[in-house]
Amino acid sequence: MEATEVKMRQNEIIQPLLTDLYQLTMAYAYWKSGKVDDTAVFDLFFRKNPFSGEFTIFAGLEQCIKFLFNFRYSDSDITYLKQILPPYVEEEFFRYLKNLTVEDVTLFAIPEGSVVFPRVPLLRVEGPLIVVQLLETTFLNLINYSSLIATNAARFRMAAGKRIKLLEFGLRRAQGPDGGLSASKYAYLGGFDGTSNVLAGKLFHIPVKGTHAHAYISSFSTLADLKTRDLAVYDENGSDLIESRDFVETCIKRRDQLATLLGILLQEANDGELAAFISYAMAFPDGFTALVDTYEVLRSGLLNFCAVAVALSDFGYRPIGIRLDSGDLAYLSNRARDAFRKIAEELTIPWFAQLSIVASNDINEETILSLNDQHHQIDCFGIGTHLVTCQKQPALGCVYKLVEINKQPKIKLSEDLEKVTIPGRKDIYRLYGSDGHALIDLMQKHGEPPPLAGNRVLCRHPFLESKRAYVNPARVEPLLHIYWQNGRCCQPLPSMEQLRHRVQHQLGTIRQDHKRNLNPTPYKVSVSDSLYSYLHKLWLQNAPIGELS
């Protein structure tokens, strides 16, 4: 198998039949009407930013390109279509579908990982009408959820700040296996640091992280449940075994000592929890993170963890930290940090003060912002349901609209201005100010001279005549690039790490007031004066004229 084919392999369910039936019925109607040689241009865009915000992260482009690379109807596809389409559909149409290719399709796109805004085409798809129509549903499916998750992840990253680690814990709450894998992939693209999803780690090279569940703690009742007591001690290099000692006895002695130091009643600490911590620490002495809220954090979990963690230090190991999954996270994290610092000072273990505190417990963006105001001591958030299900807004709402047929512009009218399309083939530019921040996105008719840095350009609101402004850009960036032409991919596909870097770089080019959580400033998307006139002329030509009597 060639290297290109390996790189273009994708989820097997992403295939031409992953579409709506009406795409195929339209295809037959087009074919029956003699439109086989018609050409068309479609724009894929969205009308409103998600999560009450003013930006979106574009994701899913690589999957669209892989879909094009693998696009073909199999024999079994044709057999199935013959079963579900009416019996009078002509046999010749099925032969047409069987031989259909995307060699004459040209795909223009904004680079994946870019910050994008409403109305701006993310994709411009050109080619034979029937073929580009058949791509609609699959393209929308591949881009809508991917971009929504990436945007949600980017918002969590901004809320948490750069210092805090973010882990995606959403597989068990995701919408099925494919939803779980996509969520892991695009949360990582949007700024998360790892996932609990093992298969996503394997497929997408995402760091995999995890601890244990409450069930593990509850499975131990007393210290007598421990079947092994000894833990190996190695030399400083960690290569040569020096001896094995009774680790359980050391943990018990350390708990007695730390109960006095931390002012915790020893009789309130749960022995089954201590046994569970000891067992897990012996299995993972260099990776010990304990879930400390199975019984009571401050009266049991914290003391038991610290006892095992200090014992690990006695044996030459360095534990990682704790996870909080319930309760007042700000208060508990501060109390835990105080305990770590006290132990670090009293027992002269400097690194103990920096032990990691992970918090989970149904966390959303607002939770993190509130915890920030409460000066929490959390180092890492594990986020599941609110990330992968996008509870705040479950769909992005991308649409795929015909804007040109046989080189003639097409417009969709509506009483709702938001749903009026901008006709024709368009070129898109982002204009930057002297401070490096993006000022405005500008759509022009295809073929118009591009705006130039240092030259004043008139930017107009697409529909409101009085809203217009001259912009003198310090830098101009063309946004649409050719990604597919003549049956092949025209651009190298970036790695996941490159995409992650692009997301953060792109966010840095957007002013803070566009990104803030509360009442963000809308980013301006405009049209050139020529496109404005073109749009409104076509609007008047197509709008019905009423009559009063």
Side-chain angles (χ1 to χ4, degrees), residues 232-243 286 316-317:
V233 180
Y234 291 90
D235 63 12
E236 293 182 358
N237 297 322
S239 55
D240 294 328
L241 176 65
I242 299 175
E243 62 176 333
D286 280 322
Y317 298 102

Side-chain angles (χ1 to χ4, degrees), residues 204-436:
F204 309 126
H205 309 293
I206 302 171
V208 181
K209 305 290 183 181
T211 54
H212 54 246
H214 293 104
Y216 187 84
I217 307 299
S218 302
S219 71
F220 291 82
S221 299
T222 69
L223 291 167
D225 290 339
L226 293 168
K227 308 303 180 187
T228 304
R229 298 182 66 91
D230 289 351
L231 181 64
V233 180
Y234 291 90
D235 63 12
E236 293 182 358
N237 297 322
S239 55
D240 294 328
L241 176 65
I242 299 175
E243 62 176 333
S244 290
R245 298 205 309 265
D246 190 327
F247 184 63
V248 179
E249 181 182 357
T250 304
C251 290
I252 294 171
K253 288 180 178 178
R254 282 300 192 182
R255 187 171 70 163
D256 292 344
Q257 175 192 15
L258 293 176
T260 302
L261 177 62
L262 299 178
I264 298 173
L265 294 176
L266 188 60
Q267 58 267 32
E268 292 189 345
N270 187 285
D271 284 350
E273 182 181 57
L274 178 62
F277 287 174
I278 292 171
S279 169
Y280 203 78
M282 292 177 74
F284 301 100
D286 280 322
F288 177 55
T289 300
L291 179 58
V292 295
D293 68 339
T294 303
Y295 300 107
E296 217 286 345
V297 174
L298 298 180
R299 289 186 289 182
S300 181
L302 186 59
L303 174 61
N304 282 332
F305 165 77
C306 289
V308 176
V310 173
L312 283 172
S313 176
D314 294 337
F315 278 63
Y317 298 102
R318 186 164 172 170
I320 294 176
I322 64 171
R323 178 161 73 94
L324 301 168
D325 195 47
S326 60
D328 186 332
L329 298 178
Y331 174 72
L332 292 174
S333 68
N334 275 285
R335 288 291 301 273
R337 184 66 67 201
D338 290 343
F340 296 163
R341 288 169 176 163
K342 191 169 188 178
I343 291 169
E345 182 178 352
E346 292 292 330
L347 302 184
T348 319
I349 312 173
W351 52 261
F352 210 91
Q354 281 77 51
L355 285 174
S356 177
I357 301 174
V358 181
S360 39
N361 189 31
D362 209 27
I363 290 169
N364 59 31
E365 188 181 344
E366 285 69 29
T367 304
I368 295 177
L369 294 170
S370 174
L371 288 168
N372 292 343
D373 292 338
Q374 297 173 68
H375 306 291
H376 68 82
Q377 289 292 320
I378 296 164
D379 302 290
C380 175
F381 289 106
I383 302 170
T385 306
H386 289 277
L387 173 65
V388 304
T389 67
C390 297
Q391 285 190 347
K392 201 172 178 181
Q393 181 175 326
L396 176 57
C398 285
V399 294
Y400 187 85
K401 296 299 181 183
L402 178 69
V403 295
E404 186 177 293
I405 185 83
N406 296 327
K407 299 187 178 180
Q408 295 301 309
K410 291 294 176 178
I411 187 170
K412 177 192 176 295
L413 299 181
S414 172
E415 293 183 4
D416 183 354
L417 272 184
E418 207 174 62
K419 294 192 173 183
V420 175
T421 60
I422 299 176
R425 196 177 306 180
K426 295 171 287 292
D427 297 323
I428 321 295
Y429 300 92
R430 184 160 294 170
L431 311 185
Y432 292 86
S434 57
D435 62 356

